[in-house]
Amino acid sequence: MAEEKRIAAVTGAGQGLGRGVALRLADAGYRIALLDRQSCDETAKLLADKGVDSWQHVTDVSDESSVVTVFSAMENEFGVPSALVNAAGIFADHPVHETSVDTWDRIMAVNARGPFLMCREGSRRMKENGGGSIVNILSNAAVQGFANESAYCASKGAALLLTRTLAVELAGHNITVNGVGPGTSETAMGGDYLGEGPIAAHELSRTPLGRWGQPADIAEAVAFFCNQATWVTGQALYVDGGFLATGLPTLKGM
Ligand SMILES: NC(=O)c1ccc[n+]([C@@H]2O[C@H](COP(=O)([O-])OP(=O)(O)OC[C@H]3O[C@@H](n4cnc5c(N)ncnc54)[C@H](O)[C@@H]3O)[C@@H](O)[C@H]2O)c1
């Protein structure tokens, strides 16, 4: 079946949301290219357990030569992806007066330059192959202010506008570009942020669905954009248990 031969390239696939996306897209019939700065052996094993073929390459998405190299290697050794999901990302939590230029540059390099480079090189191939779908993993921090997260929020806002702009620019090549904005989800990144403190309690009280996100929740929205969303581009879907919708939450005991 031609459907089963499609390739999805997923960055940040070594763990967390990227791994969840890789597993979900495998269920949708894709072979998966696993890209991360760390080994993706564990994800590859989970895919092999499902009988799904994968390929991996150590890649630093913030580095132009690394991104250019991985696309040539992928093309030669595995094939051209018709879906690209940019999930690699890093987080920093510092008051603005303690945010160094190094921190700012590093966050922007991974979270904004990374998707730019991946979209540029990925869409070059998709264009030659008749089209494809790109999904950038954003955050509700792309559209809300979170204290002490100036660099992170700015990087996700940049990725949101990159998403919209490329949707317009690449539509003529049959390439859709959409974003999925997770709310706080149970991964290494989410866990580091939340802990058990008052921020977690505050955030959960403003999450009507009353729990943290799981990789499978986020991956479902990604699969929609890759597979079913034939006439949707330039959109961002926030998968956040209702956090973004909340003005006044229902308070316990009221
Ligand atoms: N977990 C959350 O609560 C949450 C909420 C909103 C948005 N997000 C976003 O979702 C995405 C995935 O986050 P996660 O929770 O899975 O985090 P995570 O830290 O568990 O995983 C991130 C992955 O990205 C990889 N990575 C980091 N820098 C890289 C680089 N330069 N090149 C290649 N790979 C790199 C890491 O090695 C890791 O495997 C990120 O873009 C993050 O900003 C996460």
Side-chain angles (χ1 to χ4, degrees), residues 190-220:
D192 284 353
Y193 166 67
L194 284 173
E196 294 291 319
I199 294 180
H202 173 82
E203 189 165 331
L204 212 46
S205 79
R206 296 180 63 90
T207 303
L209 291 178
R211 64 171 176 85
W212 307 121
Q214 298 299 324
D217 296 317
I218 312 307
E220 203 55 44

Side-chain angles (χ1 to χ4, degrees), residues 99-151:
T99 298
S100 67
V101 168
D102 277 356
T103 297
W104 176 273
D105 286 349
R106 188 68 204 136
I107 294 276
M108 293 301 285
V110 178
N111 295 357
R113 188 202 297 159
F116 153 67
L117 290 171
M118 290 297 303
C119 287
R120 188 185 75 183
E121 295 309 306
S123 63
R124 216 190 278 289
R125 270 73 178 186
M126 288 175 179
K127 190 173 141 183
E128 287 159 7
N129 259 22
S133 38
I134 297 176
V135 182
N136 292 322
I137 303 299
L138 309 168
S139 168
N140 47 22
V143 286
Q144 280 180 314
F146 287 74
N148 302 330
E149 296 179 25
S150 51

Side-chain angles (χ1 to χ4, degrees), residues 6 8 11 31 36 52 77 82 90 94 114 123 129 147 152 159 165 176 181 209 226 229 236 241 248 250 254:
R6 292 177 304 169
T11 74
R31 300 158 65 217
D36 203 301
V52 174
E77 296 167 22
S82 61
I90 55 173
H94 306 296
S123 63
N129 259 22
Y152 184 74
T165 303
T176 61
L209 291 178
C226 291
L248 182 65
T250 303
M254 291 186 71

Side-chain angles (χ1 to χ4, degrees), residues 4-14 18-35 40 43-44 46-48 50-57 74 78-79 81-85 226:
E4 287 173 351
K5 292 182 185 152
R6 292 177 304 169
I7 292 172
V10 182
T11 74
R19 176 183 289 166
V21 167
L23 296 174
R24 178 63 184 85
L25 293 182
D27 290 342
Y30 288 88
R31 300 158 65 217
I32 315 288
L34 305 165
L35 314 180
C40 291
T43 309
L46 293 169
L47 290 169
K50 287 174 175 282
V52 174
D53 190 21
S54 71
W55 174 90
Q56 64 169 294
H57 203 281
M74 199 188 318
F78 196 58
S82 61
L84 164 64
V85 183
C226 291

